[in-house]
Amino acid sequence: GAGVSQSPSNKVTEKGKDVELRCDPISGHTALYWYRQSLGQGLEFLIYFQGNSAPDKSGLPSDRFSAERTGGSVSTLTIQRTQQEDSAVYLCASSLEMVSYEQYFGPGTRLTVT
Amino acid sequence: RKEVEQDPGPFNVPEGATVAFNCTYSNSASQSFFWYRQDCRKEPKLLMSVYSSGNEDGRFTAQLNRASQYISLLIRDSKLSDSATYLCVVNPRTGGFKTIFGAGTRLFVKA
């Protein structure tokens, strides 16, 4: 079946602009995660959504970052007033609830802020 | 102290070698443990879950030591294709599905 998809695959933006990154999880997966990975670094947890529960936003680095998940499926990560330090690969993952915590990742969006 | 710590390596081994990675975690209440593999400029992919009784999948063996709070990954008969970064992942189970990824251990297998 279809895996996790993300769009765009690459995004170059100017400092100060807003960007939106999209994630389509695997159908039937109720948990959705966003991570950030800077070059040569590990994954940094940003936010997760679980069904209809309130999302865990504890990993968002600043109030310029926000995320939504509509209808329990597609999610959008928005970064306002982008800064050069926001440049990274943004990874989305999804997993089944109550079955396992194994996460399936999308290919990521490579964000470059110039 | 980081919640999940790994030796960053790199580990440089010849083909056919056996190599082992360790990962320590700080939250003794952690319940779920995994090893993921990440190839250069690719997304992480699940390699294997780690069970209390230990588990084996072909050339790969994962073990959990709760008393010492570490998990290990053993790779036997290394192949060139095993070259990647291996990520240790822990679910602290403190209120949901949040998972903590280690920074990864890089492995290079040489001919």
Side-chain angles (χ1 to χ4, degrees):
Chain A
V4 178
S5 61
Q6 292 186 244
S7 61
S9 55
N10 283 283
K11 177 70 176 179
V12 180
T13 190
E14 292 180 353
K15 178 181 174 182
K17 300 286 189 183
D18 297 352
V19 295
E20 283 190 353
L21 312 180
R22 177 187 169 104
C23 172
D24 282 272
I26 293 172
S27 178
H29 281 193
T30 57
L32 186 148
Y33 311 74
W34 283 99
Y35 297 90
R36 177 168 73 173
Q37 187 171 34
S38 301
L39 187 63
Q41 302 297 311
L43 272 71
E44 175 188 3
F45 167 81
L46 296 178
I47 186 171
Y48 81 78
F49 297 88
Q50 174 53 53
N52 295 320
S53 302
D56 179 346
K57 304 179 181 180
S58 60
L60 295 178
S62 77
D63 58 8
R64 296 186 296 104
F65 288 72
S66 63
E68 291 185 337
R69 189 179 185 190
T70 55
S73 182
V74 172
S75 178
T76 302
L77 177 69
T78 301
I79 309 173
Q80 296 179 310
R81 305 180 303 280
T82 51
Q83 304 295 314
Q84 288 187 330
E85 60 263 29
D86 299 335
S87 297
V89 176
Y90 289 80
L91 291 158
C92 174
S94 69
S95 69
L96 284 167
E97 178 185 7
M98 300 305 289
V99 175
S100 73
Y101 297 92
E102 298 166 6
Q103 297 178 36
Y104 298 85
F105 283 82
T109 293
R110 184 172 299 276
L111 175 66
T112 304
V113 182
T114 61
Chain B
R1 180 185 176 186
K2 291 183 180 179
E3 291 183 88
V4 176
E5 292 199 76
Q6 294 183 252
D7 182 343
F11 285 64
N12 294 287
V13 303
E15 273 189 295
T18 295
V19 61
F21 309 135
N22 279 345
C23 165
T24 58
Y25 59 94
S26 60
N27 188 333
S28 61
S30 298
Q31 295 291 323
S32 305
F33 308 90
F34 306 90
W35 283 103
Y36 280 71
R37 169 192 170 130
Q38 186 173 27
D39 293 292
C40 188
R41 300 177 75 87
K42 296 288 188 180
E43 71 274 19
K45 293 186 178 180
L46 179 68
L47 179 64
M48 59 197 307
S49 303
V50 186
Y51 305 122
S52 297
S53 56
N55 50 307
E56 186 174 316
D57 183 3
R59 298 182 292 109
F60 298 83
T61 300
Q63 293 194 318
L64 167 64
N65 185 317
R66 286 191 182 275
S68 300
Q69 294 181 212
Y70 76 83
I71 65 174
S72 63
L73 177 68
L74 182 76
I75 305 175
R76 291 181 297 277
D77 189 22
S78 299
K79 310 292 184 188
L80 294 176
S81 57
D82 294 334
S83 297
T85 296
Y86 291 84
L87 305 172
C88 169
V89 182
V90 175
N91 182 302
R93 286 295 289 273
T94 50
F97 290 72
K98 178 177 177 178
T99 49
I100 309 298
F101 280 74
T105 298
R106 296 193 70 184
L107 171 67
F108 294 100
V109 181
K110 300 179 180 179

